[in-house]
Amino acid sequence: MEIKIGVKQSPREIVMESDETPKDLAARIEESVKADSLLSFTDLKGRQVYVPAAALAYVEIGTEAARRVGFGA
């Protein structure tokens, strides 16, 4: 699934792909924001992104869309 992370005071967003379930990810984000701690994300290639919870502007969690193939797509 695709994750978009907006960071305060930054015009760009962080976009990454993850295999974590949306429910688990939302619970981790909520817990981190409540505790005002460092939030870590790992993408499909194993890269890690760390964002302080206080710097989060938004987190958009997308759904996994099946790729369409062919002329009718």
Side-chain angles (χ1 to χ4, degrees):
M1 91 179 120
E2 184 178 70
I3 302 169
K4 292 182 183 179
I5 306 163
V7 181
K8 294 178 185 175
Q9 306 287 325
S10 177
R12 295 184 60 190
E13 61 187 11
I14 301 167
V15 180
M16 60 190 320
E17 292 283 329
S18 175
D19 58 356
E20 193 171 357
T21 65
K23 188 176 181 179
D24 291 342
L25 183 61
R28 276 196 325 112
I29 293 168
E30 188 174 333
E31 186 178 305
S32 181
V33 169
K34 284 181 183 177
D36 196 29
S37 62
L38 191 63
L39 186 57
S40 66
F41 299 93
T42 304
D43 71 358
L44 293 177
K45 295 178 182 178
R47 290 179 267 175
Q48 294 185 331
V49 176
Y50 295 92
V51 181
L56 286 176
Y58 64 89
V59 178
E60 183 180 314
I61 302 171
T63 58
E64 182 86 26
R67 298 186 189 268
R68 297 184 191 187
V69 179
F71 294 106

